[in-house]
Amino acid sequence: MTAPAPIRRIVIVGGGTAGWMAAAALARLIPAGVSVTLVESEEIGTVGVGEATIPPIRNFNALLGLDERDFLSRTQGTIKLGIAFVDWTREGHRYVHPFGEFGFDVEGVKFHQIWRKLHAEGRAREIDAYNVCALAMAAGRYQPPVADPGSILSRMAYAYQFDASLYAKYLRAHAERRGVVRVEGKVAQVPLRAGDGFIEAVVLEGDRRVEGELFLDCTGFRALLIEQALGAGWESWAHWLQCDRAVAVPSASPGPEITPFTRSTAHRAGWQWRIPLQHRVGNGHVYCSADISDDAACETLLANLDGAPLRDPFLLRFEAGRRKRAWHRNCVALGLSSGFLEPLESTSIHLIQSGIHRLMALLPDSGFSPVERDEYNRLTDAQMEQVRDFVILHYHANERQDGDLWRRVREMAIPETLRRKLDLFRGRGRFFRHEDELFAESSWIAVLLGQGVIPAGWDPLADGLDENKLATSFERIHEMFARAARAMPRHEEWLARNAPAGTTA
Ligand SMILES: Cc1cc2nc3c(=O)[nH]c(=O)nc-3n(C[C@H](O)[C@H](O)[C@H](O)COP(=O)(O)OP(=O)(O)OC[C@H]3O[C@@H](n4cnc5c(N)ncnc54)[C@H](O)[C@@H]3O)c2cc1C
């Protein structure tokens, strides 16, 4: 029996972040002889938001061989050490989700377990005091991590905040240099093959036809191929994630300081993001349209900016949920066409990245093995559900007294998978990461504790350790971490010295 022939033509439809990330990665990884064509329409444009990321984006950029400083400089990029959550747990409360690890485990006992015990006895500070990223966030400072595990700086992790349209442009140049062909035009028809219903080609206005064997749907919320042409189906999660609109606006930077983190502030009917870039600040108010009008949401956004708005606010509508099959027939949906979770933990760009990695690991030949397709869909589903649960946690575990939204999400039935995690943590602070789960234990612990989910007890193994010694070493850890944070340059100074906007070749 001869093996099915390899795929020779890949067509990407859509030139937003998803389309150009896919094009750049394919250009880097696909064997010679396979053509990659990207179709996009300038007239339609892109979603125009999406500026904050999480640490794995560094692996994606490294895979492409991008120079970090050049990338930061070309995308007005800044460093993100975590997210500050303001008023989420209750009004007047603040906590951070830093990217780095908390403290050090002792004799196999988790750091947060020992912390819980000492904290209950008044012998430990708040948990942020033992995280070097949290301390650097508070000080507005940054220094790259080092690989040496003996150094405190090895406990750091970071991501980026950047102008997404500049990132797409940057990746476009990268992809085109490596042979990706860009076609400008609006897709008007998607003819399907008789028999198996596979996509045969996309036909642009003016009748230009672009044929392919594998199609990547990167058309954003339109989901032109995966849904409009193939009807892969949609599973709504709007009953859990009830926000369905956002108004966004860039504003002027309030001063020379550039905070190395994203801020998320809860409001009566949603929350507002603040993402500092080198040349401006990105802002948006994500809200539930059942609880506030668009005009009032806009007023809230504008009233909570710390610099002058640089344009009129623009409105985005969405629904939380996922495509029932992200890979259907010969089409794989990446980006907003595959599903959407609100940007609370900045996960959308990461979901594009992990979709690309999965596709590369399961790249089909012309036989389009259903087993490989099903594995892709299974892994995609699992990851979306894990991220969904993490985002729901922020809403569900709240004590806010204003607004109907907060009461509804507090009282709603949550997914069983999240319920199990919460119950386990509430008992003795136990946490287990499941099958390639995106967010590390330290992220879950930061948000669980931050949202006021305090374990009733702790791991009994912590009782076997010398408490006095632990209390002393906790203080030493804090002092070491705080000293390391204080010694870092201010974030804006580091940027000015290493990656000032628009200065690299
Ligand atoms: C309010 C909000 C805030 C967000 N914030 C973040 C964040 O902080 N971090 C993060 O990781 N993600 C964020 N996201 C998600 C992020 O914006 C997207 O994941 C990312 O931009 C990818 O979008 P996309 O490429 O899938 O779609 P789009 O940017 O919408 O691109 C779609 C492309 O398809 C093309 N197209 C559509 N129809 C046709 C047609 N008929 N013919 C030809 N071309 C066509 C368009 O021209 C465009 O090029 C946010 C999303 C929203 C809604």
Side-chain angles (χ1 to χ4, degrees):
M1 200 178 87
T2 51
I7 275 176
R8 293 275 167 225
R9 289 168 304 171
I10 301 178
V11 178
I12 301 168
V13 184
T17 313
W20 284 114
M21 280 178 78
L26 288 174
R28 166 82 181 75
L29 298 170
I30 285 289
V34 181
S35 73
V36 180
T37 307
L38 184 145
V39 180
E40 70 172 319
S41 158
E42 265 174 25
E43 190 190 319
I44 294 177
T46 65
V47 69
V49 281
E51 299 176 326
T53 61
I54 53 175
I57 186 140
R58 292 174 51 215
N59 304 335
F60 184 77
N61 284 357
L63 173 80
L64 299 185
L66 305 185
D67 174 77
E68 183 179 75
R69 294 175 184 201
D70 184 53
F71 146 78
L72 283 170
S73 155
R74 302 251 202 141
T75 59
Q76 298 281 353
T78 58
I79 299 294
K80 176 179 172 189
L81 296 174
I83 307 177
F85 287 96
V86 179
D87 295 341
W88 269 86
T89 317
R90 57 187 169 274
E91 293 93 321
H93 182 266
R94 187 180 201 274
Y95 72 94
V96 298
H97 164 196
F99 289 143
E101 299 288 321
F102 291 102
F104 302 93
D105 297 350
V106 179
E107 293 179 26
V109 184
K110 303 270 187 193
F111 177 82
H112 77 276
Q113 294 286 2
I114 306 169
W115 171 83
R116 174 70 188 107
K117 177 178 155 79
L118 292 180
H119 192 254
E121 292 162 0
R123 303 187 74 179
R125 297 168 182 261
E126 294 308 313
I127 197 155
D128 303 348
Y130 310 100
N131 182 298
V132 71
C133 284
L135 293 162
M137 282 167 74
R141 293 177 181 273
Y142 168 71
Q143 183 172 334
V146 296
D148 173 10
S151 163
I152 292 156
L153 296 179
S154 68
R155 309 291 289 170
M156 287 184 71
Y158 68 97
Y160 310 114
Q161 303 162 128
F162 51 68
D163 182 326
S165 60
L166 293 179
Y167 186 51
K169 220 164 150 183
Y170 189 59
L171 295 182
R172 173 179 165 184
H174 186 88
E176 286 186 318
R177 270 200 306 275
R178 284 162 185 75
V180 172
V181 174
R182 176 186 179 276
V183 174
E184 169 64 32
K186 211 185 215 179
V187 173
Q189 286 172 47
V190 184
L192 305 184
R193 214 155 65 184
D196 60 11
F198 275 34
I199 297 173
E200 215 167 49
V202 289
V203 181
L204 313 187
E205 281 180 356
D207 274 354
R208 177 164 179 189
R209 199 178 154 89
V210 182
E211 296 192 338
E213 289 147 278
L214 173 64
F215 288 81
L216 305 188
D217 184 342
C218 300
T219 61
F221 288 131
R222 283 178 184 79
L224 197 66
L225 311 187
I226 196 80
E227 196 60 52
Q228 291 189 39
L230 298 183
W234 177 253
E235 181 180 335
S236 172
W237 288 337
H239 49 296
W240 287 314
L241 294 168
Q242 301 182 13
C243 289
D244 56 356
R245 287 188 198 179
V247 271
V249 74
S251 63
S253 305
E257 186 190 347
I258 302 175
T259 52
F261 58 87
T262 294
R263 190 177 72 207
S264 165
T265 306
H267 293 317
R268 187 179 61 79
W271 61 276
Q272 180 163 337
W273 77 75
R274 179 188 187 279
I275 303 176
L277 309 183
Q278 291 198 39
H279 61 326
R280 61 167 172 80
V281 174
N283 310 274
H285 181 189
V286 175
Y287 57 97
C288 177
S289 61
D291 295 279
I292 191 171
S293 69
D294 295 339
D295 286 347
C298 210
E299 272 170 37
T300 304
L301 171 69
L302 294 173
N304 288 284
L305 300 181
D306 53 16
L310 298 176
R311 56 164 288 183
D312 288 335
F314 56 102
L315 177 73
L316 295 132
R317 294 164 205 268
F318 50 79
E319 182 180 62
R322 68 163 165 213
R323 205 59 58 199
K324 281 188 179 153
R325 280 161 293 184
W327 178 340
H328 189 40
R329 299 183 191 154
N330 60 338
C331 175
V332 177
L334 291 170
L336 298 172
S337 61
S338 67
F340 183 65
L341 288 163
E342 59 178 85
L344 191 53
E345 283 285 352
S346 325
T347 41
S348 286
I349 291 175
H350 178 78
L351 293 172
I352 300 169
Q353 170 184 345
S354 66
I356 293 169
H357 280 302
R358 264 192 302 283
L359 180 60
M360 290 299 102
L362 291 162
L363 192 70
D365 55 30
S366 56
F368 279 92
S369 154
V371 178
E372 290 173 353
R373 176 204 61 203
D374 290 350
E375 186 62 3
Y376 180 95
N377 286 335
R378 189 186 71 77
L379 294 169
T380 304
D381 286 353
Q383 185 169 57
M384 278 293 273
E385 285 165 21
Q386 288 160 354
V387 176
R388 173 201 68 193
D389 285 2
F390 190 48
V391 175
I392 293 174
L393 166 67
H394 298 64
Y395 279 100
H396 179 63
N398 86 82
E399 300 160 21
R400 285 182 66 101
Q401 295 306 313
D402 67 327
D404 220 25
L405 171 69
W406 298 101
R407 183 194 49 76
R408 287 200 309 276
V409 293
R410 190 165 52 234
E411 291 173 1
M412 72 187 175
I414 55 174
E416 186 45 38
T417 37
L418 176 58
R419 163 66 47 219
R420 240 189 351 259
K421 272 200 165 88
L422 270 170
D423 289 348
L424 206 55
F425 192 78
R426 278 201 175 106
R428 286 178 178 271
R430 314 271 201 207
F431 180 86
F432 296 93
R433 200 170 175 185
H434 289 274
E435 206 187 357
D436 283 338
E437 185 153 347
L438 173 57
F439 284 101
E441 183 172 299
S442 56
S443 289
W444 276 89
I445 286 165
V447 175
L448 282 159
L449 294 174
Q451 290 290 144
V453 183
I454 309 297
W458 49 83
D459 183 344
L461 294 180
D463 290 327
L465 301 172
D466 182 329
E467 202 177 304
N468 290 328
K469 255 195 190 156
L470 289 174
T472 312
S473 79
F474 262 50
E475 202 44 30
R476 228 180 16 244
I477 291 171
H478 166 67
E479 279 161 16
M480 253 166 29
F481 281 14
R483 209 175 313 122
R486 275 197 306 271
M488 294 176 189
R490 291 202 55 81
H491 176 221
E492 58 278 3
E493 284 167 13
W494 185 87
L495 287 169
R497 213 170 309 134
N498 294 287
T503 52
T504 46

